[in-house]
Amino acid sequence: MAVWTVIAAGPIALCVAVASTPTTVQAATPAKPTTVRTAAAADPGGYAQVFVSAWLRSSMDEAMSAQVRLAQSMAPGVDLPDPASDAQSRPQSVTAVRSAQRDGGAWSVTLAAQHADGSVRYYAMPVATDRAGASFAVTGAPGVVAGPTQAEVPKSPYGVTVPEGDLSSTVGEFLAAYLTGAGGVDRYVAPGVTLAPVSSAPYSAVSVEEAAASPNAPPNAVLAPSVVVRSIAEVPTPFF
Protein backbone atom coordinates (compact mmCIF):
# COMPACT_ATOMS: atom_id res chain seq x y z
CA MET A 1 0.00 0.00 0.00
CA ALA A 2 1.56 3.27 -1.09
CA VAL A 3 0.82 6.34 1.00
CA TRP A 4 1.94 9.85 0.11
CA THR A 5 3.19 11.90 2.99
CA VAL A 6 4.10 15.58 2.93
CA ILE A 7 5.96 16.82 5.99
CA ALA A 8 6.47 20.57 6.25
CA ALA A 9 7.96 22.61 9.07
CA GLY A 10 8.10 26.30 9.79
CA PRO A 11 5.50 29.10 9.58
CA ILE A 12 5.12 31.23 6.50
CA ALA A 13 4.96 34.99 6.95
CA LEU A 14 2.75 36.93 4.57
CA CYS A 15 3.21 40.67 4.25
CA VAL A 16 0.79 42.83 2.29
CA ALA A 17 1.46 46.49 1.53
CA VAL A 18 -1.48 48.72 0.68
CA ALA A 19 -1.01 52.17 -0.81
CA SER A 20 -3.79 54.71 -1.25
CA THR A 21 -3.82 57.38 -3.94
CA PRO A 22 -6.34 60.02 -4.96
CA THR A 23 -9.00 58.56 -7.22
CA THR A 24 -10.37 60.05 -10.42
CA VAL A 25 -13.96 59.47 -11.41
CA GLN A 26 -14.35 58.72 -15.11
CA ALA A 27 -17.44 58.57 -17.23
CA ALA A 28 -18.73 55.05 -17.68
CA THR A 29 -17.97 53.56 -21.07
CA PRO A 30 -20.72 51.84 -23.04
CA ALA A 31 -20.97 48.18 -22.21
CA LYS A 32 -19.57 45.86 -24.84
CA PRO A 33 -21.68 43.00 -26.18
CA THR A 34 -21.16 39.85 -24.17
CA THR A 35 -19.64 36.94 -26.04
CA VAL A 36 -21.48 33.70 -25.31
CA ARG A 37 -19.27 30.63 -25.55
CA THR A 38 -20.85 27.34 -26.52
CA ALA A 39 -19.86 24.44 -24.30
CA ALA A 40 -17.81 21.68 -25.86
CA ALA A 41 -19.74 18.75 -27.23
CA ALA A 42 -20.30 15.93 -24.78
CA ASP A 43 -18.18 12.82 -25.20
CA PRO A 44 -20.37 10.06 -26.74
CA GLY A 45 -18.23 7.27 -25.27
CA GLY A 46 -20.92 6.13 -22.84
CA TYR A 47 -23.58 6.10 -25.55
CA ALA A 48 -21.32 4.04 -27.82
CA GLN A 49 -20.59 1.65 -24.96
CA VAL A 50 -24.29 0.93 -24.42
CA PHE A 51 -24.86 0.33 -28.13
CA VAL A 52 -21.83 -1.91 -28.74
CA SER A 53 -22.64 -3.95 -25.63
CA ALA A 54 -26.14 -4.62 -26.99
CA TRP A 55 -24.92 -5.07 -30.57
CA LEU A 56 -22.33 -7.72 -29.68
CA ARG A 57 -24.95 -9.65 -27.71
CA SER A 58 -27.38 -9.61 -30.64
CA SER A 59 -27.71 -11.70 -33.77
CA MET A 60 -29.93 -11.75 -36.83
CA ASP A 61 -31.68 -14.93 -35.70
CA GLU A 62 -32.79 -13.49 -32.34
CA ALA A 63 -35.15 -10.80 -33.53
CA MET A 64 -37.21 -10.68 -30.33
CA SER A 65 -34.44 -10.57 -27.72
CA ALA A 66 -34.05 -7.55 -25.47
CA GLN A 67 -30.51 -6.87 -26.71
CA VAL A 68 -31.68 -6.85 -30.34
CA ARG A 69 -34.50 -4.44 -29.56
CA LEU A 70 -32.11 -2.11 -27.74
CA ALA A 71 -29.55 -2.15 -30.54
CA GLN A 72 -32.19 -1.52 -33.21
CA SER A 73 -33.78 1.29 -31.21
CA MET A 74 -30.43 3.08 -30.99
CA ALA A 75 -29.38 2.47 -34.60
CA PRO A 76 -32.24 1.28 -36.85
CA GLY A 77 -30.08 1.52 -39.97
CA VAL A 78 -27.22 -0.65 -38.67
CA ASP A 79 -27.35 -4.36 -39.48
CA LEU A 80 -27.11 -6.85 -36.65
CA PRO A 81 -24.10 -9.18 -36.53
CA ASP A 82 -24.37 -12.58 -38.19
CA PRO A 83 -21.86 -14.67 -36.21
CA ALA A 84 -20.54 -17.96 -37.54
CA SER A 85 -21.10 -21.15 -35.59
CA ASP A 86 -17.53 -21.11 -34.28
CA ALA A 87 -17.50 -17.38 -33.49
CA GLN A 88 -16.08 -16.05 -30.26
CA SER A 89 -18.43 -16.07 -27.30
CA ARG A 90 -20.35 -12.94 -26.40
CA PRO A 91 -18.38 -10.50 -24.28
CA GLN A 92 -18.71 -10.20 -20.52
CA SER A 93 -18.11 -6.46 -20.55
CA VAL A 94 -17.66 -3.58 -22.98
CA THR A 95 -15.74 -0.43 -22.05
CA ALA A 96 -15.13 2.79 -23.97
CA VAL A 97 -11.38 3.44 -23.94
CA ARG A 98 -10.92 6.36 -26.33
CA SER A 99 -13.02 9.03 -28.07
CA ALA A 100 -11.69 11.17 -30.93
CA GLN A 101 -13.67 14.13 -32.26
CA ARG A 102 -13.70 14.68 -36.01
CA ASP A 103 -15.06 17.51 -38.13
CA GLY A 104 -18.74 18.33 -38.36
CA GLY A 105 -19.85 16.73 -35.09
CA ALA A 106 -18.46 13.30 -35.99
CA TRP A 107 -16.73 11.12 -33.40
CA SER A 108 -14.84 7.84 -33.50
CA VAL A 109 -15.10 5.81 -30.31
CA THR A 110 -12.79 2.89 -29.55
CA LEU A 111 -14.22 0.22 -27.27
CA ALA A 112 -12.78 -2.88 -25.63
CA ALA A 113 -14.86 -6.07 -25.38
CA GLN A 114 -13.56 -8.50 -22.75
CA HIS A 115 -14.53 -12.16 -22.93
CA ALA A 116 -14.73 -14.87 -20.29
CA ASP A 117 -11.41 -16.42 -21.35
CA GLY A 118 -9.59 -13.13 -20.67
CA SER A 119 -9.19 -12.13 -24.32
CA VAL A 120 -9.95 -8.56 -25.39
CA ARG A 121 -11.13 -7.39 -28.80
CA TYR A 122 -11.24 -3.73 -29.78
CA TYR A 123 -13.87 -2.04 -31.93
CA ALA A 124 -14.13 1.41 -33.49
CA MET A 125 -17.57 2.91 -33.93
CA PRO A 126 -18.66 6.14 -35.66
CA VAL A 127 -21.02 8.42 -33.75
CA ALA A 128 -22.50 11.78 -34.76
CA THR A 129 -23.61 14.52 -32.37
CA ASP A 130 -25.75 17.62 -32.80
CA ARG A 131 -24.27 21.10 -32.44
CA ALA A 132 -25.20 21.29 -28.77
CA GLY A 133 -23.74 17.87 -28.00
CA ALA A 134 -27.03 16.76 -26.48
CA SER A 135 -28.07 14.11 -29.01
CA PHE A 136 -26.13 11.18 -30.45
CA ALA A 137 -26.61 8.94 -33.47
CA VAL A 138 -24.78 5.77 -34.47
CA THR A 139 -23.76 6.19 -38.11
CA GLY A 140 -22.25 2.81 -38.84
CA ALA A 141 -21.56 -0.68 -37.55
CA PRO A 142 -18.63 -1.28 -35.18
CA GLY A 143 -15.45 -2.51 -36.85
CA VAL A 144 -12.62 -4.55 -35.37
CA VAL A 145 -9.42 -2.54 -34.93
CA ALA A 146 -6.03 -2.98 -33.29
CA GLY A 147 -5.87 -2.12 -29.61
CA PRO A 148 -4.00 0.91 -28.29
CA THR A 149 -0.29 0.54 -27.67
CA GLN A 150 1.04 0.58 -24.14
CA ALA A 151 2.69 3.85 -23.14
CA GLU A 152 5.97 3.95 -21.26
CA VAL A 153 5.65 4.34 -17.53
CA PRO A 154 6.98 7.78 -16.53
CA LYS A 155 10.00 7.85 -14.29
CA SER A 156 9.10 8.29 -10.66
CA PRO A 157 10.01 11.68 -9.16
CA TYR A 158 10.94 9.87 -5.96
CA GLY A 159 14.45 8.85 -6.94
CA VAL A 160 16.25 9.22 -3.62
CA THR A 161 16.27 6.18 -1.36
CA VAL A 162 15.65 7.21 2.22
CA PRO A 163 18.00 5.48 4.69
CA GLU A 164 17.31 4.99 8.36
CA GLY A 165 16.99 8.36 10.04
CA ASP A 166 14.62 11.12 11.04
CA LEU A 167 12.71 11.12 7.76
CA SER A 168 11.99 7.40 7.53
CA SER A 169 11.17 7.22 11.24
CA THR A 170 8.78 10.15 11.00
CA VAL A 171 7.04 8.63 7.97
CA GLY A 172 6.57 5.33 9.79
CA GLU A 173 5.34 6.96 12.99
CA PHE A 174 2.88 9.15 11.09
CA LEU A 175 1.44 6.22 9.14
CA ALA A 176 1.12 4.16 12.30
CA ALA A 177 -0.79 6.95 14.02
CA TYR A 178 -2.93 7.65 10.96
CA LEU A 179 -3.84 4.07 10.02
CA THR A 180 -3.99 2.32 13.38
CA GLY A 181 -5.31 5.11 15.58
CA ALA A 182 -2.40 4.67 17.98
CA GLY A 183 -1.64 8.20 19.19
CA GLY A 184 -2.44 11.46 17.48
CA VAL A 185 -1.25 12.75 14.14
CA ASP A 186 -1.02 16.42 15.13
CA ARG A 187 2.65 16.21 16.02
CA TYR A 188 3.50 15.02 12.51
CA VAL A 189 1.69 17.62 10.41
CA ALA A 190 2.58 21.23 9.62
CA PRO A 191 1.26 24.02 11.84
CA GLY A 192 -2.31 24.91 10.98
CA VAL A 193 -2.98 21.61 9.19
CA THR A 194 -5.77 19.44 10.58
CA LEU A 195 -5.82 15.76 9.68
CA ALA A 196 -8.09 13.33 11.48
CA PRO A 197 -6.99 9.68 11.73
CA VAL A 198 -8.86 7.01 9.82
CA SER A 199 -12.14 6.40 11.59
CA SER A 200 -12.48 2.86 12.91
CA ALA A 201 -8.82 2.07 12.21
CA PRO A 202 -8.64 -0.95 9.89
CA TYR A 203 -5.04 -1.96 10.69
CA SER A 204 -3.28 -3.26 13.75
CA ALA A 205 0.30 -2.36 12.84
CA VAL A 206 2.31 -0.50 10.23
CA SER A 207 5.97 -0.92 9.35
CA VAL A 208 7.91 0.85 6.61
CA GLU A 209 9.49 -1.58 4.18
CA GLU A 210 10.85 0.99 1.77
CA ALA A 211 10.81 4.76 1.56
CA ALA A 212 11.89 7.12 -1.21
CA ALA A 213 11.86 10.88 -1.52
CA SER A 214 12.10 13.64 -4.09
CA PRO A 215 15.58 14.85 -5.05
CA ASN A 216 15.52 17.73 -2.53
CA ALA A 217 15.57 15.30 0.40
CA PRO A 218 18.55 15.72 2.74
CA PRO A 219 21.17 13.07 1.91
CA ASN A 220 21.48 12.07 5.55
CA ALA A 221 17.68 11.85 5.98
CA VAL A 222 17.76 14.37 8.83
CA LEU A 223 14.99 16.95 8.69
CA ALA A 224 15.90 20.59 9.11
CA PRO A 225 13.57 23.54 9.81
CA SER A 226 11.75 24.97 6.78
CA VAL A 227 12.56 21.90 4.63
CA VAL A 228 9.70 20.41 2.60
CA VAL A 229 10.21 16.78 1.60
CA ARG A 230 7.78 14.79 -0.52
CA SER A 231 8.10 11.09 0.11
CA ILE A 232 6.41 7.82 -0.79
CA ALA A 233 6.45 4.76 1.43
CA GLU A 234 5.53 1.10 0.97
CA VAL A 235 4.11 -0.45 4.10
CA PRO A 236 2.61 -3.85 4.91
CA THR A 237 -0.59 -3.37 6.85
CA PRO A 238 -1.94 -6.51 8.55
CA PHE A 239 -5.64 -6.45 9.39
CA PHE A 240 -7.03 -7.10 12.82
Side-chain angles (χ1 to χ4, degrees), residues 2 17 37 49 67 76 89-90 115 133 137 140 145-146 178 230 237 239:
R37 298 182 179 272
Q49 179 176 320
Q67 298 296 333
S89 61
R90 295 175 179 179
H115 297 264
V145 296
Y178 182 69
R230 291 177 170 83
T237 50
F239 286 91

Side-chain angles (χ1 to χ4, degrees), residues 64-157:
M64 299 305 296
S65 71
Q67 298 296 333
V68 168
R69 293 197 301 271
L70 175 58
Q72 289 183 330
S73 68
M74 298 178 70
V78 175
D79 293 335
L80 297 175
D82 186 15
S85 58
D86 57 348
Q88 196 171 23
S89 61
R90 295 175 179 179
Q92 285 190 319
S93 63
V94 176
T95 306
V97 296
R98 181 176 180 269
S99 298
Q101 189 172 12
R102 311 299 187 191
D103 295 334
W107 290 73
S108 177
V109 182
T110 303
L111 304 104
Q114 185 173 3
H115 297 264
D117 59 0
S119 62
V120 179
R121 179 171 290 178
Y122 292 88
Y123 295 84
M125 196 188 78
V127 181
T129 65
D130 62 3
R131 295 184 62 181
S135 300
F136 306 115
V138 176
T139 58
V144 178
V145 296
T149 58
Q150 186 172 359
E152 294 184 2
V153 178
K155 186 178 180 180
S156 172

